[in-house]
Amino acid sequence: MSVLAAPDSPATCPPVFTPDGIAALARRIREPVHIVSGPDGRELGLATGSVTGVPVLGTLPPLYPEWLGGRTFCAAHGIRFPYVAGEMANGIATTRMVSAMARAEMLGFFGAGGLAYADVERAVRTLADELRSHPNWGVNLIHSPAEPELEFRVAQLLLRCGVPRISASAFMELTPAVVLCSARGLRRDPDGRIVRRTRMLAKVSRPEVAERFLSPAPAALLDRLVREGELTLQEAELAALVPVAEDITVEADSGGHTDNRPLSVLLPGIAALRDTLCRRFGYHHAVGIGAAGGLGTPAAVAAAFALGASYVVVGSVNQTATEAGLSDEAKAMLCEADVADVAMAPAADMFELGVRLQVLSRGTMFAQRAGRLHAAYRTYGSLEEIPAPVRAPIERDVLRAPFDEVWRRTVAFWERRDPAEITRAESDPKHRMALVFRWYLGSSSRWAITGETVRRADYQIWCGPAMGAFNRWAAGTFLAEPAHRSVVQIALNLLEGAALLTRAHQLRTYGVPLPSGALAHTPCALG
Ligand code: FMN
């Protein structure tokens, strides 16, 4: 116990013991605060500056939103805040969003998934041009099991354009593309330390996948890339000494593709695995663990950091940001969502495998309609086999066109994207059925992006429960106004709120009687 004030204390505030006084001082998180006991030695209060007359039990140092996560993560990425705007497919995470994040000293990833190569190339070149002097931006490299060549070409593009950060996602196994991105440019600095040109964050939701990214790349893949002239021998040798990814984003129940697992279950397990593997392989660099999924309120963000996250990743909520590439109508629908207004629905990219993703269910019938298509796909061998009583409502209510017409549109699409799909469908009726049904799934995302009002009830909008939680928090505040809701204001407010709640938690562990809700943060203009 000490009665001395901390030397760096700001203006003195005499000890306070009332709930209001404690709350007011506790909110000053950027200053040190003393926990003091009252004259009778029983009640606890707070004070700042030079304290006289009452014992100081302890002093909490200043607390900044910048410090909530891993300092090594921020240093490694040249950022101030341990906060990432996650990639959102089909360019919903726009170049504008990524630029805004980079300029605000955070990290953002362009949503390259689902886009044609030419669109990805255009976006990457725009970003490379705009953010030439920034190391803190990146692009998603998404696993495309049906289009491995596209995956590899995108990887080569990202490396060619010098994209400084790559977020690798949807990988169950490592592929040549992901290993190439991890290993290309590895070298030793003059002190002998291994340095990377490109830094990869791997998004995972299972420990076995995390293990692949936390281990050095498999020799067979490295050898192959060397033989093909994609890697030098030296790059391959160095790749055998470092993990494939130096940051692992653990994704819990999120919008889009998700295993719907709780963060509190996944993150500590994968963090422990990280520790084991770092010891086993003797890595010299720290590997960061990030948290994604379900982060839409300050409490969720504070909890993610308390679980040990070095950084947090936000997705669903950013779809309502001014910079998001989504129609105003779809954004308005998201703003109406509550926490339970989400559902699992078939995914377009892995429709045949029965993979599902999380979408908004309020105001759109997409989940039910796509579910009907998948049920028909599972039950019948071809479009022709579907009996009239099943076929008629699908054509009338879901596709709003006869199967033949949709097939014509499907052919037009695949002729541009990958004609081999049409050849396959012509000899495989079940595949033809899949392509016709996938036309609906692909179009429904596009309708939501462009704002095809007549198709409002079919909008496919990926969304997790974080959106509803955010809406409850933001209701009636500065962030409720669409024009105020920039991706940076969302981030700064979530972090500010998380810092306040972290202070509340610190004080609670001391036994300070902080009134409930005293450190709640009401969104406002920050920065
Ligand atoms: N993650 C990817 O790795 N690749 C994607 O293409 C991708 N697209 C997404 C599209 C939307 C509309 C949403 C909401 C999420 C998407 N995600 C994608 C996941 C986000 O990057 C992020 O990890 C996730 O949304 C975080 O969880 P939350 O939705 O609960 O905030």
Side-chain angles (χ1 to χ4, degrees):
M1 192 189 294
S2 145
V3 287
L4 293 173
D8 57 344
S9 289
T12 293
C13 172
V16 289
F17 296 94
T18 63
D20 284 352
I22 289 175
L25 264 198
R27 293 189 77 85
R28 287 158 58 171
I29 58 172
R30 290 172 174 79
E31 299 168 21
V33 65
H34 310 298
I35 293 117
V36 296
S37 69
D40 65 358
R42 275 206 315 256
E43 54 180 352
L44 292 182
L46 298 179
T48 59
S50 304
V51 181
T52 49
V54 292
V56 173
L57 303 177
T59 300
L60 293 175
L63 176 59
Y64 285 81
E66 287 90 327
W67 298 347
L68 290 172
R71 311 277 174 96
T72 48
F73 178 82
C74 289
H77 293 281
I79 54 180
R80 183 170 154 206
F81 299 97
Y83 186 101
V84 178
E87 54 273 32
M88 293 190 280
N90 295 317
I92 293 178
T94 55
T95 55
R96 202 154 76 85
M97 186 178 281
V98 176
S99 285
M101 290 297 288
R103 292 182 208 289
E105 300 174 273
M106 298 184 245
L107 190 53
F109 286 95
F110 176 72
L115 294 179
Y117 179 84
D119 296 328
V120 180
E121 183 172 27
R122 198 171 316 115
V124 170
R125 291 198 187 285
T126 303
L127 285 167
D129 198 39
E130 270 181 29
L131 298 174
R132 206 164 300 151
S133 56
H134 292 260
N136 55 325
W137 63 276
V139 176
N140 183 208
L141 175 72
I142 193 154
H143 181 39
S144 313
E147 298 173 283
E149 279 163 30
L150 175 66
E151 183 184 311
F152 199 75
R153 282 181 71 208
V154 170
Q156 288 175 313
L157 170 73
L158 304 187
L159 293 169
R160 204 167 47 246
C161 293
V163 174
R165 303 290 180 264
I166 292 176
S167 169
S169 58
F171 289 87
M172 298 303 285
E173 302 287 340
L174 297 178
T175 65
V178 79
V179 170
L180 178 67
C181 289
S182 164
R184 173 78 68 79
L186 282 172
R187 61 182 174 82
R188 284 197 190 272
D189 71 8
D191 297 324
R193 283 181 302 239
I194 302 174
V195 289
R196 294 179 183 268
R197 189 189 304 153
T198 315
R199 205 170 152 118
M200 182 183 284
L201 291 81
K203 192 183 278 177
V204 305
S205 48
R206 296 184 187 190
E208 67 273 19
V209 181
E211 182 157 359
R212 289 181 191 120
F213 281 99
L214 284 162
S215 304
L221 276 177
L222 290 170
D223 291 347
R224 172 178 159 182
L225 289 166
V226 171
R227 273 199 312 278
E228 290 170 357
E230 295 289 345
L231 290 180
T232 65
L233 207 52
Q234 198 210 7
E235 286 168 335
E237 279 166 10
L238 295 177
L241 305 174
V242 293
V244 173
E246 265 167 31
D247 293 295
I248 303 290
T249 304
V250 176
E251 185 162 74
D253 192 15
S254 69
H257 294 269
T258 177
D259 282 344
N260 308 100
R261 303 282 176 248
L263 192 66
S264 55
V265 172
L266 269 190
L267 194 139
I270 292 180
L273 182 66
R274 178 263 320 259
D275 296 340
T276 304
L277 294 173
C278 286
R279 263 196 310 276
R280 182 186 305 161
F281 293 111
Y283 298 139
H284 294 295
H285 291 291
V287 176
I289 299 287
L295 308 182
T297 59
V301 170
F305 286 125
L307 280 173
S310 293
Y311 59 100
V312 291
V313 180
V314 167
S316 292
V317 166
N318 284 341
Q319 279 188 102
T320 63
T322 47
E323 300 90 345
L326 195 66
S327 65
D328 287 344
E329 200 182 12
K331 287 182 185 178
M333 287 162 73
L334 282 162
C335 290
E336 295 291 308
D338 207 339
V339 285
D341 291 329
V342 288
M344 296 303 287
D349 54 350
M350 288 181 262
F351 181 78
E352 293 90 326
L353 299 175
V355 172
R356 284 144 54 87
L357 41 73
Q358 194 151 225
V359 296
L360 179 72
S361 61
R362 189 185 176 114
T364 155
M365 303 285 285
F366 169 77
Q368 294 94 312
R369 290 177 177 173
R372 269 163 71 187
L373 295 182
H374 197 261
Y377 175 77
R378 273 201 322 270
T379 313
Y380 306 104
S382 67
L383 291 170
E384 294 68 26
E385 260 182 38
I386 302 176
V390 178
R391 175 179 180 144
I394 287 181
E395 291 187 324
R396 188 188 60 233
D397 304 331
V398 182
L399 303 177
R400 294 208 209 160
F403 286 164
D404 286 349
E405 169 59 25
V406 176
W407 173 240
R408 267 194 295 280
R409 295 176 198 167
T410 304
V411 168
F413 172 80
W414 286 106
E415 261 167 358
R416 275 176 281 122
R417 181 88 176 224
D418 182 4
E421 289 290 332
I422 307 167
T423 316
R424 188 178 149 205
E426 277 163 353
S427 61
D428 178 352
K430 184 111 181 164
H431 189 56
R432 183 161 165 265
M433 174 165 50
L435 291 188
V436 165
F437 290 169
R438 280 168 55 187
W439 169 87
Y440 174 77
L441 275 78
S443 303
S444 55
S445 288
R446 207 180 51 250
W447 294 328
I449 288 171
T450 57
E452 193 80 21
T453 311
V454 290
R455 284 293 201 162
R456 191 179 194 275
D458 294 290
Y459 282 2
Q460 178 183 172
I461 305 171
W462 297 4
C463 178
M467 188 71 242
F470 176 89
N471 286 337
R472 282 181 171 266
W473 172 56
T477 72
F478 168 81
L479 282 180
E481 171 59 47
H484 293 161
R485 203 180 277 194
S486 69
V487 73
V488 170
Q489 283 302 330
I490 292 171
L492 292 176
N493 275 284
L494 284 172
L495 287 170
E496 185 70 21
L500 279 156
L501 292 177
T502 303
R503 178 64 105 204
H505 184 63
Q506 292 173 331
L507 292 170
R508 207 165 37 232
T509 62
Y510 268 91
V512 175
L514 196 64
S516 133
L519 264 59
H521 172 64
T522 303
C524 57
L526 292 173

